[in-house]
DNA sequence: CTGAAAGCGCTTACAG
DNA sequence: CTGAAAGCGCTTACAG
């Protein structure tokens, strides 16, 4: 069962290889009966065009590169499912590049991507630094490769299209919710490292807090569970707090564990909310209220957008914002 | 900044393209000074061999296919990190195929993989059915593509090498631990669908239970949180239970939530243990005891093994079992 | 609607 | 150690 080539097909169908190629790629240019004969032979022989030869001759790879800084984030995996499903529909293959550091990707990766001749690039991250943005611009402009940012937004430019939710609005809404409950000392627990989307969540938080003439209080923690515990204990010994909005569900749950250890009741004494609606949120007790981020859809829509770009269609929207929901469970009242 | 070709390099270095090719791929066949001149030009021009041309001419792709049934499982993502890190070391690119159904992958995928000319395949799953195994055997034998199973074991044959932990032993050890605590009514909570590795965990459980002359009790649940709650409530109303070993951390946590709602104390009344050592285990209260599975390492070692296979090296071990640990936290005593 | 032929950018015997 | 040339398996103007 060694691989059939286009010559084998052409021979068996008694046509030239050019006709076989057309029957596959431009069926309308081939007489129906010829086409069917060719297609039947293809079926019989289990012929599949060699991707390298095709790529070399056509200068198109029908492959997209997915750049991921760190696969282990739960959201990345789910986003991949959305991407893969749409990629399949449009017949694109996925080349996966996991970037090792969180710095700007190195020259090496760039060269690899260029050499791989990908037709498009999806950049998955909730962070994007100016340096990384420059890197992407270089690829885009020097090599004419379309790029879509997935789950992040670059604030200063819409040169590279993006798909996400409106994180600013989500941050605003959740904060507003706690304010409406009568909370006065609402903290946003964000991360030490500056993530673009966490920044947006903070902006939304600040807007709501200001509108209500409250005092903004942002606490920055590492994402590491083991460190969080001490950190929270220390911090809230001296601080009044009756509301917590964490930028990630897992941080919210971490906080709840500390609160419970200190005999603080949720939601009686404190309201708590997270972001993402992960399994953590459902498994926590009380069940965590949070912003639901349609992460699968973000991946799927991002990939769909990229196919349009690769087809040189005009985008009616360069910053796509999908709908989100506030899921109110047991940690708010 | 359009892409330089091998001709550009050859011209600038005043050698033939054959020499450029050799300088890259068989440096020892080129006189040192020529080689250096060529390499310098390559550097200057930012030349990177076109992957398609290279693949077509050499019949090697330096690409591996990673087959994943469902990316959203936390373990898959972490395994990908291990795979990607080693792939980078050996200069392999990763083509990602997310299989949609959990049936045997369709003919389409097979053809795609073959057309992509991947040099090797990594199959990531904790399940493998005879049908899927046949599918993999077909690829392996018909097209001579090496394959490694990652995080699963096929019981009836070691024709396809695998990397995992000794799940049977892990199941045995954790059960033994609960028995040593004096537990008499230990349940294993497994899944409705038959996963290969869950099967192994069960086998280990059964061995320990038999050795202690206790009665084995296996309960099967769906993995879905919402369903678990009712299911557990119903089931344990009529059943005595003082020990639970769940095949996944999240199921264990799910169970703990139900137990707590029924005022059952952990670990005073019931010991609970999970598998994997995910973030769930650390975030749960009490903190969950579980089997730690070195999932990153499984991915890394799997990829390393595959590189050996692709180099036609002889494997000293076709079933690699990595070390695991029992992490005893607060849900056991 | 179909075929002959050039070309995509490499690798690799084969000579020298 | 190096070069000329064939070939990898396709696509795509160009003729007809």
């Amino acid at each position: 069962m060694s691989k059939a080539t286009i010559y084998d097909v052409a021979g068996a169908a008694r046509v030239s290889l050019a006709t076989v190629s057309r029957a596959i790629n431009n069926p309308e240019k081939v007489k129906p009966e010829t086409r069917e004969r060719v297609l039947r032979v293809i079926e019989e022989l289990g012929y599949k065009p060699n991707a390298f030869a095709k790529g070399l001759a056509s200068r198109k790879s029908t492959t997209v590169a997915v750049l991921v800084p760190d696969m282990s984030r739960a959201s990345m995996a789910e986003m991949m499912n959305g991407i893969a499903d749409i990629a399949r529909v449009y017949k694109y293959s996925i080349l996966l590049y996991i970037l090792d550091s969180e710095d700007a990707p190195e020259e090496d990766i760039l060269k690899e991507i260029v050499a791989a001749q990908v037709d498009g690039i999806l950049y998955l991250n909730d962070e994007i630094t100016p340096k990384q943005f420059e890197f992407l611009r270089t690829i885009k402009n020097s090599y004419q490769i379309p790029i879509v940012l997935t789950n992040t937004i670059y604030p200063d430019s819409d040169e590279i299209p993006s798909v996400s939710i409106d994180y600013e609005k989500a941050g605003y809404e959740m904060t507003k919710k706690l304010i409406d409950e009568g909370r006065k000392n609402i903290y946003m627990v964000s991360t030490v490292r500056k993530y673009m989307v966490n920044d947006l969540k903070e902006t939304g938080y600040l807007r709501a807090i200001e509108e209500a003439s409250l005092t903004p209080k942002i606490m920055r923690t590492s994402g590491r569970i083991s460190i969080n515990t001490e950190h929270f204990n220390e911090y809230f010994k001296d601080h009044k707090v009756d509301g917590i909005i964490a930028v990630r569900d897992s941080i919210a749950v971490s906080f709840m564990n500390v609160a419970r250890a200190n005999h603080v009741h949720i939601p009686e004494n404190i309201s708590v909310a997270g972001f993402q609606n992960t399994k953590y949120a459902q498994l926590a007790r009380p069940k965590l209220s949070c912003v639901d981020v349609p992460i699968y859809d973000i991946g799927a829509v991002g990939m769909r957008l990229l196919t349009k770009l690769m087809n040189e269609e005009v985008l009616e929207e360069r910053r796509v914002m999908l709908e989100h929901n506030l899921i109110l469970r047991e940690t708010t009242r």
Side-chain angles (χ1 to χ4, degrees), chain A:
Chain A
M1 205 212 264
S2 94
K3 304 146 218 174
T5 73
I6 198 169
Y7 296 100
D8 301 327
V9 176
R14 319 172 122 269
V15 293
S16 74
L17 74 171
T19 301
V20 175
S21 177
R22 287 192 203 97
I24 297 171
N25 302 312
N26 302 88
E28 73 285 0
K29 292 192 179 170
V30 176
K31 185 161 53 164
E33 66 185 75
T34 318
R35 187 199 316 155
E36 282 179 16
R37 181 151 39 91
V38 171
L39 262 24
R40 209 175 320 118
V41 172
I42 287 178
E43 185 68 27
E44 280 170 29
L45 269 53
Y47 167 73
K48 175 95 191 185
N50 176 307
F52 287 133
K54 185 167 183 169
L56 182 58
S58 69
R59 283 117 214 288
K60 283 191 294 181
S61 60
T62 53
T63 296
V64 297
V66 175
L67 303 190
V68 193
D70 178 5
M71 200 61 219
S72 69
R73 295 277 273 289
S75 55
M76 298 296 162
E78 185 59 19
M79 227 185 297
M80 284 301 319
N81 282 330
I83 293 169
D85 285 350
I86 301 303
R88 181 190 308 266
V89 172
Y90 291 90
K91 313 271 186 207
Y92 281 94
S93 300
I94 295 173
L95 260 180
L96 185 66
Y97 294 93
I98 300 185
L99 311 176
D100 30 81
S101 72
E102 295 192 339
D103 300 329
E106 330 67 61
E107 190 66 14
D108 279 7
I109 298 266
L110 196 167
K111 287 209 277 182
E112 231 184 288
I113 294 173
V114 172
Q117 307 243 81
V118 298
D119 296 336
I121 297 175
L122 237 31
Y123 185 80
L124 271 56
N125 204 349
D126 45 11
E127 168 181 44
I128 182 160
T129 60
K131 212 168 149 195
Q132 290 170 317
F133 188 74
E134 271 318 306
F135 170 74
L136 295 177
R137 282 195 59 220
T138 305
I139 298 186
K140 175 174 168 294
N141 295 325
S142 307
Y143 302 102
Q144 266 75 264
I145 304 177
I147 304 182
V148 170
L149 302 179
T150 270
N151 205 27
T152 194
I153 302 175
Y154 196 71
D156 303 335
S157 155
D158 70 347
E159 187 178 340
I160 300 181
S162 63
V163 178
S164 72
I165 67 164
D166 188 339
Y167 280 106
E168 196 274 344
K169 188 169 164 223
Y172 174 83
E173 288 172 355
M174 192 51 102
T175 310
K176 193 84 171 61
K177 166 70 178 88
L178 297 206
I179 292 171
D180 290 348
E181 288 181 5
R183 303 303 186 182
K184 302 291 183 199
N185 297 290
I186 304 169
Y187 281 73
M188 165 145 280
V189 182
S190 188
T191 46
V192 174
R193 297 205 57 226
K194 294 287 267 176
Y195 289 95
M196 204 57 241
V197 306
N198 288 350
D199 229 53
L200 292 166
K201 293 170 195 169
E202 288 176 25
T203 309
Y205 160 84
L206 290 172
R207 180 157 64 90
I209 289 288
E210 266 172 37
E211 273 183 24
S213 307
L214 297 174
T215 313
K217 292 160 182 171
I218 296 184
M219 175 197 175
R220 300 193 180 281
T221 182
S222 92
R224 306 218 356 240
I225 298 175
S226 51
I227 299 177
N228 282 349
T229 305
E230 276 186 60
H231 198 170
F232 288 142
N233 257 325
E234 189 64 31
Y235 198 84
F236 292 111
K237 209 160 39 186
D238 312 324
H239 295 71
K240 270 195 304 189
V241 46
D242 59 10
I244 288 284
I245 298 174
V247 294
R248 290 211 287 267
D249 286 347
S250 61
I251 295 177
V253 173
S254 231
F255 172 81
M256 283 164 61
N257 284 335
V258 173
R260 182 181 317 138
N262 290 319
H263 308 289
V264 175
H265 296 280
I266 299 169
E268 292 78 4
N269 308 336
I270 301 188
S271 288
V272 179
F275 262 89
Q276 197 84 310
N277 197 22
T278 54
K279 228 176 176 180
Y280 303 121
Q282 297 175 61
L283 283 173
R285 287 299 177 276
K287 292 178 192 162
L288 183 66
S289 297
C290 60
V291 174
D292 179 46
V293 180
I295 204 72
Y296 173 94
D297 295 342
I298 289 179
V301 173
M303 181 67 212
R304 177 66 184 102
L305 202 70
L306 188 59
T307 63
K308 289 187 185 173
L309 246 27
M310 294 186 293
N311 274 334
E312 296 178 342
E313 294 175 31
V314 185
L315 266 37
E316 62 265 22
E317 185 82 76
R318 296 183 70 80
R319 287 193 177 183
V320 179
M321 305 258 197
L322 301 184
E323 291 298 316
H324 62 265
N325 290 301
L326 301 196
I327 309 267
L328 301 177
R329 285 195 270 241
E330 301 171 352
T331 59
T332 46
R333 51 183 188 189

